[in-house]
Coordinates of all heavy atoms in Angstrom, one line a residue:
M1 N 115.8 84.2 94.6 CA 115.9 85.5 95.2 C 115.6 85.3 96.7 O 114.6 84.7 97.1 CB 114.9 86.4 94.5 CG 114.9 87.8 95.0 SD 113.8 89.0 94.2 CE 114.2 88.8 92.5
P2 N 116.5 85.9 97.6 CA 116.2 85.8 99.0 C 114.8 86.4 99.4 O 114.4 87.4 98.7 CB 117.3 86.6 99.7 CG 118.4 86.6 98.7 CD 117.7 86.6 97.3
K3 N 114.2 85.9 100.4 CA 112.8 86.3 100.8 C 112.7 87.8 101.1 O 111.8 88.4 100.6 CB 112.4 85.5 102.0 CG 110.9 85.5 102.2 CD 110.5 84.5 103.2 CE 109.0 84.2 103.0 NZ 108.6 83.0 103.8
P4 N 113.6 88.5 101.8 CA 113.4 89.9 102.0 C 113.6 90.7 100.7 O 112.8 91.7 100.5 CB 114.6 90.3 103.0 CG 115.0 89.0 103.7 CD 114.7 87.9 102.7
V5 N 114.4 90.3 99.8 CA 114.6 91.0 98.6 C 113.3 90.8 97.7 O 112.8 91.7 97.1 CB 115.9 90.5 97.8 CG1 116.0 91.1 96.4 CG2 117.1 90.8 98.6
A6 N 112.8 89.6 97.7 CA 111.6 89.3 96.9 C 110.4 90.1 97.5 O 109.6 90.7 96.7 CB 111.2 87.8 97.0
A7 N 110.3 90.2 98.8 CA 109.2 91.0 99.4 C 109.4 92.5 99.1 O 108.4 93.2 98.8 CB 109.2 90.8 100.9
L8 N 110.6 93.0 99.1 CA 110.9 94.4 98.7 C 110.5 94.6 97.3 O 109.9 95.6 96.9 CB 112.3 94.8 99.0 CG 112.7 96.2 98.7 CD1 111.9 97.2 99.5 CD2 114.2 96.4 99.1
A9 N 110.9 93.7 96.4 CA 110.6 93.9 95.0 C 109.1 93.8 94.8 O 108.6 94.7 94.0 CB 111.3 92.7 94.2
A10 N 108.4 93.0 95.4 CA 106.9 92.9 95.3 C 106.3 94.2 95.9 O 105.4 94.7 95.3 CB 106.4 91.7 96.0
A11 N 106.8 94.7 97.0 CA 106.3 96.0 97.5 C 106.5 97.1 96.6 O 105.6 98.0 96.4 CB 106.9 96.2 98.9
S12 N 107.7 97.1 96.0 CA 108.0 98.2 95.0 C 107.1 98.2 93.8 O 106.6 99.2 93.4 CB 109.5 98.1 94.5 OG 110.3 98.2 95.6
L13 N 106.8 96.9 93.3 CA 105.9 96.8 92.2 C 104.5 97.2 92.6 O 103.8 97.9 91.8 CB 105.9 95.4 91.7 CG 105.0 95.1 90.5 CD1 105.3 95.9 89.3 CD2 105.1 93.6 90.1
C14 N 104.1 96.8 93.8 CA 102.8 97.2 94.3 C 102.6 98.7 94.3 O 101.6 99.3 93.9 CB 102.5 96.6 95.6 SG 101.0 97.0 96.4
L15 N 103.6 99.4 94.9 CA 103.6 100.8 95.0 C 103.6 101.5 93.6 O 102.9 102.5 93.4 CB 104.8 101.3 95.8 CG 104.7 101.0 97.3 CD1 105.9 101.4 98.0 CD2 103.4 101.6 98.0
L16 N 104.3 100.9 92.7 CA 104.4 101.5 91.3 C 103.0 101.4 90.7 O 102.5 102.3 90.1 CB 105.4 100.8 90.5 CG 105.5 101.2 89.0 CD1 105.9 102.6 88.9 CD2 106.5 100.3 88.3
L17 N 102.4 100.2 90.8 CA 101.1 100.0 90.2 C 100.0 100.9 90.9 O 99.1 101.5 90.2 CB 100.6 98.6 90.2 CG 101.4 97.7 89.2 CD1 101.0 96.2 89.4 CD2 101.1 98.1 87.8
L18 N 100.1 101.0 92.2 CA 99.2 101.9 92.9 C 99.4 103.3 92.5 O 98.4 104.1 92.3 CB 99.4 101.7 94.5 CG 98.9 100.5 95.1 CD1 99.3 100.4 96.5 CD2 97.4 100.4 95.0
Q19 N 100.6 103.8 92.3 CA 100.8 105.1 91.9 C 100.3 105.4 90.5 O 99.6 106.4 90.2 CB 102.3 105.4 91.9 CG 102.7 106.8 91.5 CD 104.2 107.1 91.5 OE1 105.0 106.1 91.5 NE2 104.6 108.3 91.6
Q20 N 100.4 104.4 89.6 CA 99.8 104.6 88.3 C 98.3 104.5 88.3 O 97.7 105.2 87.5 CB 100.4 103.5 87.3 CG 101.9 103.7 87.0 CD 102.4 102.6 86.2 OE1 101.8 101.6 86.0 NE2 103.6 102.8 85.7
A21 N 97.7 103.7 89.2 CA 96.3 103.6 89.2 C 95.6 104.7 90.0 O 94.4 105.0 89.8 CB 95.9 102.2 89.9
A22 N 96.4 105.4 90.8 CA 95.8 106.4 91.6 C 95.7 107.7 90.8 O 96.5 108.0 89.9 CB 96.7 106.7 92.8
P23 N 94.6 108.6 91.1 CA 94.5 109.9 90.5 C 95.7 110.7 90.8 O 96.4 110.5 91.9 CB 93.2 110.4 91.1 CG 92.6 109.4 91.8 CD 93.6 108.3 92.0
A24 N 96.0 111.7 90.0 CA 97.2 112.5 90.2 C 97.1 113.3 91.5 O 98.1 113.6 92.1 CB 97.3 113.5 89.0
S25 N 95.9 113.6 92.0 CA 95.8 114.3 93.2 C 95.8 113.4 94.4 O 95.7 113.9 95.6 CB 94.5 115.1 93.2 OG 93.4 114.2 93.1
A26 N 96.0 112.1 94.3 CA 96.1 111.2 95.4 C 97.2 111.6 96.4 O 98.3 112.0 96.0 CB 96.2 109.8 95.0
D27 N 96.9 111.4 97.6 CA 97.9 111.8 98.7 C 98.9 110.7 98.8 O 98.6 109.5 98.7 CB 97.1 111.9 100.0 CG 98.0 112.5 101.1 OD1 99.1 113.0 100.8 OD2 97.6 112.3 102.3
A28 N 100.2 111.0 98.9 CA 101.3 110.1 99.1 C 101.0 109.2 100.3 O 101.5 108.0 100.3 CB 102.6 110.8 99.2
S29 N 100.3 109.6 101.3 CA 100.0 108.8 102.4 C 99.2 107.5 102.0 O 99.4 106.5 102.7 CB 99.2 109.6 103.5 OG 97.9 109.9 103.0
D30 N 98.5 107.5 101.0 CA 97.8 106.3 100.5 C 98.9 105.2 100.1 O 98.7 104.1 100.5 CB 96.9 106.6 99.3 CG 95.7 107.4 99.6 OD1 95.3 107.4 100.8 OD2 95.1 107.9 98.6
Q31 N 99.9 105.6 99.5 CA 101.0 104.7 99.1 C 101.7 104.2 100.3 O 102.1 103.0 100.5 CB 101.9 105.4 98.1 CG 101.3 105.7 96.8 CD 102.2 106.5 95.9 OE1 103.4 106.6 96.2 NE2 101.6 107.1 94.9
D32 N 101.9 105.1 101.3 CA 102.6 104.7 102.5 C 101.7 103.7 103.3 O 102.3 102.7 103.9 CB 102.8 106.0 103.4 CG 103.8 106.9 102.8 OD1 104.7 106.4 102.0 OD2 103.8 108.1 103.2
R33 N 100.4 103.9 103.3 CA 99.5 103.0 104.0 C 99.6 101.6 103.4 O 99.6 100.6 104.1 CB 98.1 103.5 104.1 CG 97.9 104.6 105.1 CD 96.4 104.8 105.4 NE 95.7 105.1 104.2 CZ 95.2 106.3 103.8 NH1 95.5 107.3 104.6 NH2 94.5 106.5 102.7
A34 N 99.6 101.6 102.1 CA 99.7 100.3 101.4 C 101.0 99.6 101.7 O 101.0 98.4 101.9 CB 99.5 100.5 99.9
R35 N 102.1 100.3 101.7 CA 103.4 99.7 101.9 C 103.4 99.2 103.4 O 103.9 98.1 103.6 CB 104.5 100.8 101.7 CG 105.9 100.2 102.0 CD 107.0 101.3 101.9 NE 106.7 102.5 102.5 CZ 106.8 102.8 103.9 NH1 107.2 101.8 104.7 NH2 106.5 103.9 104.4
Q36 N 102.9 100.0 104.3 CA 102.9 99.6 105.7 C 102.0 98.3 105.9 O 102.3 97.4 106.7 CB 102.4 100.7 106.6 CG 103.5 101.8 106.6 CD 102.9 103.1 107.3 OE1 101.7 103.2 107.6 NE2 103.8 104.1 107.4
A37 N 100.9 98.3 105.2 CA 100.0 97.1 105.3 C 100.7 95.9 104.8 O 100.6 94.8 105.4 CB 98.7 97.4 104.5
L38 N 101.5 96.0 103.7 CA 102.3 94.9 103.2 C 103.3 94.4 104.3 O 103.4 93.2 104.5 CB 102.9 95.2 101.9 CG 103.8 94.1 101.3 CD1 102.9 92.9 100.9 CD2 104.5 94.7 100.1
E39 N 104.0 95.4 104.8 CA 105.0 95.1 105.8 C 104.4 94.4 107.1 O 105.1 93.6 107.7 CB 105.8 96.4 106.2 CG 106.7 96.9 105.1 CD 107.2 98.3 105.4 OE1 106.9 98.9 106.5 OE2 108.1 98.7 104.6
R40 N 103.2 94.8 107.4 CA 102.5 94.2 108.6 C 101.8 92.9 108.3 O 101.3 92.2 109.2 CB 101.5 95.2 109.2 CG 102.0 96.4 109.9 CD 100.9 97.2 110.6 NE 99.9 97.6 109.7 CZ 99.8 98.8 109.1 NH1 100.7 99.7 109.3 NH2 98.8 99.1 108.3
G41 N 101.8 92.5 107.0 CA 101.2 91.2 106.7 C 99.7 91.3 106.5 O 99.0 90.3 106.4
E42 N 99.2 92.6 106.4 CA 97.7 92.8 106.2 C 97.3 92.5 104.8 O 96.1 92.2 104.5 CB 97.3 94.2 106.6 CG 97.5 94.4 108.1 CD 97.3 95.9 108.5 OE1 96.8 96.7 107.6 OE2 97.4 96.2 109.7
I43 N 98.2 92.7 103.9 CA 98.0 92.4 102.4 C 99.0 91.5 101.9 O 100.2 91.4 102.4 CB 97.8 93.7 101.6 CG1 99.2 94.4 101.5 CG2 96.7 94.6 102.1 CD1 99.2 95.6 100.6
R44 N 98.7 90.8 100.8 CA 99.7 89.8 100.2 C 100.4 90.6 99.1 O 100.0 91.6 98.6 CB 99.0 88.7 99.6 CG 98.1 87.9 100.6 CD 98.9 87.0 101.5 NE 99.3 85.8 100.8 CZ 98.5 84.7 100.7 NH1 97.3 84.6 101.2 NH2 99.0 83.6 100.0
P45 N 101.6 90.1 98.8 CA 102.4 90.8 97.7 C 101.6 90.8 96.4 O 100.8 89.9 96.1 CB 103.7 89.9 97.6 CG 103.8 89.2 98.9 CD 102.4 89.0 99.4
L46 N 101.8 91.8 95.6 CA 101.1 92.0 94.4 C 101.2 90.8 93.4 O 100.2 90.5 92.8 CB 101.5 93.3 93.7 CG 100.7 93.7 92.5 CD1 99.2 93.9 92.9 CD2 101.3 94.9 91.9
D47 N 102.4 90.2 93.3 CA 102.5 89.1 92.4 C 101.5 87.9 92.8 O 101.0 87.3 91.9 CB 103.9 88.6 92.3 CG 104.5 88.1 93.6 OD1 104.0 88.5 94.7 OD2 105.4 87.3 93.6
Q48 N 101.3 87.7 94.1 CA 100.4 86.7 94.5 C 98.9 87.1 94.2 O 98.1 86.2 93.7 CB 100.5 86.4 96.0 CG 101.8 85.8 96.4 CD 102.0 85.6 97.9 OE1 101.0 85.7 98.6 NE2 103.2 85.4 98.3
V49 N 98.6 88.4 94.3 CA 97.3 88.9 94.1 C 97.0 88.8 92.6 O 95.9 88.3 92.1 CB 97.1 90.3 94.5 CG1 95.8 90.9 94.1 CG2 97.3 90.4 96.0
L50 N 98.0 89.1 91.7 CA 97.8 89.1 90.3 C 97.6 87.6 89.8 O 96.9 87.3 88.9 CB 98.9 89.7 89.6 CG 99.0 91.3 89.7 CD1 100.2 91.8 89.1 CD2 97.7 91.9 89.2
A51 N 98.4 86.7 90.4 CA 98.2 85.3 90.1 C 96.8 84.8 90.4 O 96.2 84.1 89.6 CB 99.3 84.4 90.8
A52 N 96.3 85.2 91.5 CA 94.9 84.8 91.9 C 93.9 85.4 90.9 O 92.9 84.7 90.5 CB 94.6 85.2 93.3
A53 N 94.1 86.7 90.5 CA 93.2 87.3 89.6 C 93.2 86.6 88.2 O 92.2 86.4 87.7 CB 93.6 88.8 89.4
R54 N 94.4 86.3 87.8 CA 94.5 85.7 86.4 C 93.9 84.3 86.4 O 93.4 83.8 85.4 CB 96.0 85.6 86.0 CG 96.5 87.0 85.6 CD 98.0 86.9 85.1 NE 98.4 88.2 84.7 CZ 99.4 88.9 85.4 NH1 100.0 88.3 86.4 NH2 99.7 90.1 85.0
K55 N 94.0 83.6 87.6 CA 93.4 82.3 87.7 C 91.9 82.4 87.6 O 91.2 81.6 87.0 CB 93.9 81.6 89.0 CG 93.4 80.2 89.1 CD 93.9 79.5 90.4 CE 93.4 78.1 90.5 NZ 93.9 77.5 91.7
A56 N 91.3 83.4 88.3 CA 89.9 83.6 88.4 C 89.3 84.2 87.1 O 88.2 83.9 86.7 CB 89.6 84.5 89.6
L57 N 90.1 85.0 86.5 CA 89.6 85.8 85.3 C 90.8 86.0 84.3 O 91.5 87.0 84.4 CB 89.0 87.1 85.7 CG 88.4 88.0 84.7 CD1 87.2 87.3 84.1 CD2 87.9 89.3 85.3
P58 N 91.0 85.0 83.4 CA 92.1 85.1 82.5 C 92.0 86.3 81.6 O 90.9 86.7 81.2 CB 92.0 83.8 81.7 CG 91.2 82.9 82.5 CD 90.3 83.8 83.3
G59 N 93.1 86.9 81.3 CA 93.2 88.1 80.4 C 94.3 89.0 80.8 O 95.2 88.7 81.6
E60 N 94.3 90.2 80.2 CA 95.4 91.2 80.5 C 94.9 92.1 81.6 O 93.9 92.8 81.4 CB 95.7 91.9 79.2 CG 96.7 93.0 79.3 CD 97.0 93.7 78.1 OE1 96.6 93.3 77.0 OE2 97.7 94.8 78.1
V61 N 95.7 92.2 82.6 CA 95.4 93.2 83.7 C 95.7 94.6 83.2 O 96.8 94.9 82.7 CB 96.2 92.9 85.0 CG1 96.1 94.0 86.0 CG2 95.9 91.5 85.5
V62 N 94.6 95.5 83.3 CA 94.8 96.8 82.8 C 94.8 97.9 83.9 O 95.2 99.0 83.6 CB 93.8 97.2 81.7 CG1 94.0 96.3 80.4 CG2 92.4 97.0 82.2
K63 N 94.3 97.5 85.0 CA 94.2 98.5 86.1 C 94.2 97.7 87.5 O 93.5 96.7 87.6 CB 93.0 99.4 86.0 CG 93.0 100.5 87.0 CD 91.9 101.5 86.7 CE 91.9 102.7 87.6 NZ 90.8 103.6 87.3
V64 N 94.8 98.3 88.5 CA 94.9 97.7 89.8 C 94.6 98.8 90.8 O 95.2 99.9 90.8 CB 96.2 97.0 90.1 CG1 96.2 96.5 91.6 CG2 96.5 95.9 89.2
E65 N 93.6 98.6 91.7 CA 93.3 99.5 92.8 C 93.3 98.7 94.1 O 92.8 97.6 94.1 CB 91.9 100.1 92.6 CG 91.8 101.0 91.3 CD 90.4 101.6 91.1 OE1 89.6 101.7 92.1 OE2 90.1 101.9 90.0
L66 N 93.8 99.4 95.1 CA 93.7 98.8 96.5 C 93.0 99.8 97.3 O 93.3 100.9 97.4 CB 95.2 98.6 97.0 CG 95.3 98.1 98.4 CD1 94.7 96.7 98.5 CD2 96.8 98.0 98.8
E67 N 91.9 99.3 98.0 CA 91.1 100.1 98.8 C 90.8 99.4 100.1 O 90.8 98.2 100.2 CB 89.7 100.3 98.1 CG 89.8 101.1 96.8 CD 88.5 101.2 96.1 OE1 87.5 100.7 96.5 OE2 88.5 102.0 95.1
R68 N 90.6 100.3 101.1 CA 90.2 99.8 102.4 C 88.6 99.9 102.5 O 88.1 100.9 102.3 CB 90.8 100.7 103.5 CG 90.7 100.2 104.9 CD 91.9 99.3 105.2 NE 91.9 99.1 106.6 CZ 92.4 98.1 107.2 NH1 92.9 97.1 106.5 NH2 92.3 97.9 108.5
D69 N 88.0 98.8 102.8 CA 86.5 98.7 102.8 C 86.1 97.9 104.0 O 86.4 96.7 104.2 CB 86.0 98.1 101.5 CG 84.5 98.1 101.4 OD1 83.9 98.9 102.0 OD2 84.0 97.3 100.6
D70 N 85.3 98.5 104.9 CA 84.8 97.9 106.1 C 85.9 97.2 106.9 O 85.8 96.1 107.4 CB 83.7 96.9 105.8 CG 82.4 97.6 105.3 OD1 82.2 98.8 105.8 OD2 81.7 97.1 104.5
G71 N 87.1 97.8 107.0 CA 88.2 97.3 107.8 C 89.0 96.3 107.1 O 90.0 95.7 107.8
R72 N 88.8 96.0 105.9 CA 89.7 95.1 105.2 C 90.2 95.7 103.9 O 89.5 96.5 103.3 CB 89.0 93.7 105.0 CG 87.9 93.7 104.0 CD 87.4 92.2 103.9 NE 86.3 92.2 103.0 CZ 85.6 91.1 102.7 NH1 86.0 89.9 103.2 NH2 84.6 91.1 101.9
W73 N 91.3 95.2 103.4 CA 91.9 95.6 102.2 C 91.3 94.8 101.0 O 91.3 93.6 101.1 CB 93.4 95.5 102.2 CG 94.1 96.4 103.1 CD1 94.6 96.1 104.4 CD2 94.4 97.8 102.9 NE1 95.2 97.2 104.9 CE2 95.1 98.3 104.1 CE3 94.2 98.7 101.8 CZ2 95.6 99.6 104.2 CZ3 94.7 100.0 102.0 CH2 95.3 100.4 103.1
I74 N 90.9 95.5 100.0 CA 90.3 94.8 98.8 C 91.1 95.3 97.5 O 91.2 96.5 97.3 CB 88.8 95.2 98.6 CG1 88.0 94.9 99.9 CG2 88.2 94.5 97.4 CD1 87.9 93.4 100.2
Y75 N 91.5 94.4 96.7 CA 92.1 94.7 95.4 C 90.9 94.7 94.4 O 90.2 93.7 94.3 CB 93.1 93.7 95.0 CG 94.5 94.0 95.5 CD1 95.1 93.4 96.6 CD2 95.3 95.0 94.8 CE1 96.4 93.7 97.0 CE2 96.6 95.3 95.3 CZ 97.1 94.6 96.3 OH 98.4 94.9 96.8
E76 N 90.8 95.7 93.6 CA 89.9 95.7 92.4 C 90.8 95.7 91.2 O 91.6 96.6 91.0 CB 89.0 97.0 92.4 CG 88.1 97.0 93.6 CD 87.2 98.3 93.5 OE1 87.3 99.1 92.6 OE2 86.4 98.5 94.5
I77 N 90.7 94.6 90.4 CA 91.6 94.4 89.3 C 90.7 94.4 88.0 O 89.8 93.6 87.9 CB 92.4 93.1 89.5 CG1 93.2 93.2 90.8 CG2 93.3 92.9 88.3 CD1 94.0 92.0 91.1
K78 N 91.0 95.3 87.1 CA 90.4 95.4 85.8 C 91.1 94.5 84.8 O 92.4 94.6 84.7 CB 90.3 96.8 85.3 CG 89.8 97.9 86.3 CD 88.4 97.8 86.7 CE 87.8 99.1 87.3 NZ 88.2 99.3 88.7
V79 N 90.4 93.7 84.1 CA 91.0 92.8 83.2 C 90.4 92.9 81.8 O 89.1 93.0 81.7 CB 90.8 91.3 83.7 CG1 91.3 90.3 82.7 CG2 91.5 91.1 85.0
L80 N 91.2 92.9 80.8 CA 90.7 92.8 79.4 C 90.8 91.4 79.0 O 91.9 90.8 78.9 CB 91.5 93.7 78.5 CG 91.1 93.9 77.0 CD1 89.7 94.5 77.0 CD2 92.1 94.7 76.2
T81 N 89.6 90.8 78.7 CA 89.6 89.4 78.3 C 90.0 89.2 76.9 O 90.1 90.1 76.1 CB 88.2 88.8 78.5 OG1 87.3 89.4 77.5 CG2 87.7 89.0 79.9
A82 N 90.2 87.9 76.5 CA 90.6 87.6 75.1 C 89.5 88.0 74.1 O 89.8 88.2 73.0 CB 90.9 86.1 75.0
E83 N 88.3 88.0 74.6 CA 87.1 88.4 73.8 C 87.0 89.9 73.7 O 86.0 90.4 73.1 CB 85.8 87.8 74.4 CG 85.8 86.3 74.3 CD 86.6 85.6 75.4 OE1 86.7 86.3 76.5 OE2 87.0 84.5 75.2
G84 N 87.8 90.7 74.3 CA 87.8 92.1 74.3 C 86.9 92.8 75.3 O 86.6 94.0 75.2
E85 N 86.4 92.0 76.3 CA 85.5 92.6 77.3 C 86.4 93.1 78.4 O 87.4 92.5 78.8 CB 84.6 91.5 77.9 CG 83.6 90.9 76.8 CD 82.8 89.8 77.5 OE1 83.4 88.9 78.1 OE2 81.6 89.8 77.3
R86 N 85.9 94.2 79.0 CA 86.6 94.7 80.2 C 85.8 94.2 81.4 O 84.6 94.5 81.6 CB 86.6 96.2 80.2 CG 87.4 96.8 81.4 CD 87.5 98.3 81.2 NE 88.1 98.8 82.5 CZ 88.2 100.0 82.8 NH1 87.8 101.0 81.9 NH2 88.7 100.4 83.9
R87 N 86.4 93.5 82.3 CA 85.8 92.9 83.4 C 86.6 93.2 84.7 O 87.7 93.7 84.6 CB 85.6 91.4 83.3 CG 84.8 91.0 82.0 CD 84.4 89.7 81.9 NE 83.6 89.2 83.0 CZ 83.4 87.9 83.3 NH1 84.0 87.0 82.6 NH2 82.7 87.6 84.4
E88 N 86.0 92.9 85.8 CA 86.7 93.3 87.1 C 86.5 92.1 88.1 O 85.5 91.4 88.1 CB 86.0 94.5 87.7 CG 86.6 95.0 89.0 CD 85.9 96.2 89.6 OE1 85.8 97.2 88.8 OE2 85.5 96.2 90.7
V89 N 87.6 91.9 88.8 CA 87.6 90.9 89.9 C 88.0 91.6 91.1 O 89.0 92.4 91.2 CB 88.5 89.7 89.5 CG1 89.9 90.1 89.3 CG2 88.5 88.6 90.6
E90 N 87.3 91.3 92.2 CA 87.6 91.9 93.5 C 88.2 90.8 94.4 O 87.6 89.7 94.5 CB 86.4 92.5 94.2 CG 85.9 93.7 93.6 CD 84.8 94.4 94.3 OE1 84.4 94.0 95.5 OE2 84.2 95.4 93.8
I91 N 89.3 91.0 95.0 CA 90.0 90.0 95.8 C 90.4 90.6 97.2 O 90.8 91.7 97.3 CB 91.3 89.7 95.1 CG1 91.0 89.1 93.7 CG2 92.2 88.7 95.9 CD1 92.3 88.8 92.8
D92 N 90.1 89.7 98.2 CA 90.5 90.1 99.5 C 92.1 90.1 99.5 O 92.7 89.1 99.2 CB 90.0 89.1 100.5 CG 90.3 89.4 101.9 OD1 91.5 89.3 102.3 OD2 89.4 89.7 102.7
A93 N 92.6 91.2 99.9 CA 94.1 91.4 99.8 C 94.9 90.6 100.8 O 96.1 90.4 100.6 CB 94.4 92.9 100.0
Q94 N 94.2 90.1 101.8 CA 95.0 89.2 102.8 C 94.8 87.8 102.5 O 95.8 87.0 102.5 CB 94.5 89.6 104.2 CG 95.3 88.9 105.3 CD 94.9 89.3 106.7 OE1 93.8 89.5 107.0 NE2 95.9 89.5 107.5
S95 N 93.6 87.3 102.3 CA 93.3 85.9 102.1 C 93.4 85.4 100.6 O 93.5 84.2 100.4 CB 92.0 85.5 102.6 OG 90.9 86.1 101.8
L96 N 93.4 86.4 99.7 CA 93.3 86.1 98.3 C 92.0 85.5 97.8 O 91.9 85.0 96.7 CB 94.5 85.3 97.7 CG 95.9 85.9 98.0 CD1 96.9 85.0 97.4 CD2 95.9 87.3 97.3
A97 N 91.0 85.5 98.7 CA 89.6 85.0 98.4 C 89.0 85.9 97.3 O 89.1 87.1 97.3 CB 88.7 85.0 99.6
I98 N 88.4 85.3 96.3 CA 87.7 86.0 95.2 C 86.4 86.4 95.8 O 85.6 85.6 96.2 CB 87.5 85.1 94.0 CG1 88.9 84.6 93.5 CG2 86.8 85.9 92.9 CD1 89.9 85.6 93.1
L99 N 86.1 87.7 95.8 CA 84.9 88.3 96.4 C 83.8 88.5 95.4 O 82.7 88.3 95.7 CB 85.2 89.6 97.1 CG 86.3 89.5 98.2 CD1 86.6 90.9 98.8 CD2 85.9 88.6 99.3
E100 N 84.3 88.9 94.2 CA 83.3 89.2 93.2 C 84.0 89.2 91.8 O 85.1 89.7 91.7 CB 82.6 90.5 93.4 CG 81.5 90.9 92.5 CD 80.7 92.1 92.9 OE1 80.9 92.6 94.0 OE2 80.0 92.7 92.1
I101 N 83.2 88.8 90.8 CA 83.7 88.9 89.4 C 82.6 89.6 88.6 O 81.4 89.0 88.6 CB 84.1 87.6 88.7 CG1 85.2 86.9 89.5 CG2 84.4 87.7 87.3 CD1 85.6 85.5 89.0
D102 N 82.8 90.7 88.0 CA 81.8 91.4 87.2 C 82.2 91.3 85.7 O 83.3 91.3 85.3 CB 81.8 92.9 87.6 CG 81.2 93.1 88.9 OD1 80.3 92.3 89.3 OD2 81.6 94.1 89.5

């Protein structure tokens, strides 16, 4: 898949997941800010973030949140482990560094 098409597909998936993870009353501008951050290179495509999450915490991803915290974008990813535990991994959206696993 050509690079621009892949980036657009990843951005679309990111926005879809953000829309599903966001409360119904969330402002559409949140989605616009996430899309713009991806276009500016401030955050990595969602497929890369999910791969990092699965490597750090294997299981089924059940929820994805993207938040701005102290000037940086953070993904909070909820995972259901094979043991049935609900856990969370926080990932820096630009560097993919694992910040915390609960």
Side-chain angles (χ1 to χ4, degrees):
M1 184 178 303
K3 199 170 201 167
V5 174
L8 182 59
S12 297
L13 179 59
C14 180
L15 291 174
L16 177 64
L17 287 173
L18 286 173
Q19 183 178 19
Q20 290 176 348
S25 62
D27 189 17
S29 66
D30 289 342
Q31 294 173 15
D32 292 338
R33 283 196 304 256
R35 181 184 45 79
Q36 291 167 357
L38 179 65
E39 290 172 354
R40 289 190 302 264
E42 295 175 3
I43 63 174
R44 302 283 282 277
L46 186 61
D47 62 334
Q48 294 176 16
V49 175
L50 292 176
R54 287 186 181 110
K55 184 176 179 181
L57 185 61
E60 182 180 346
V61 172
V62 295
K63 187 173 183 179
V64 176
E65 295 179 23
L66 177 63
E67 298 178 351
R68 189 91 166 150
D69 187 19
D70 292 330
R72 69 179 179 179
W73 291 100
I74 306 293
Y75 273 101
E76 293 180 3
I77 301 175
K78 311 291 194 286
V79 175
L80 185 62
T81 68
E83 295 79 27
E85 297 177 311
R86 184 174 172 188
R87 300 193 57 201
E88 180 178 309
V89 59
E90 290 187 7
I91 300 176
D92 182 291
Q94 186 174 40
S95 69
L96 299 181
I98 304 301
L99 303 175
E100 185 176 345
I101 298 177
D102 289 331

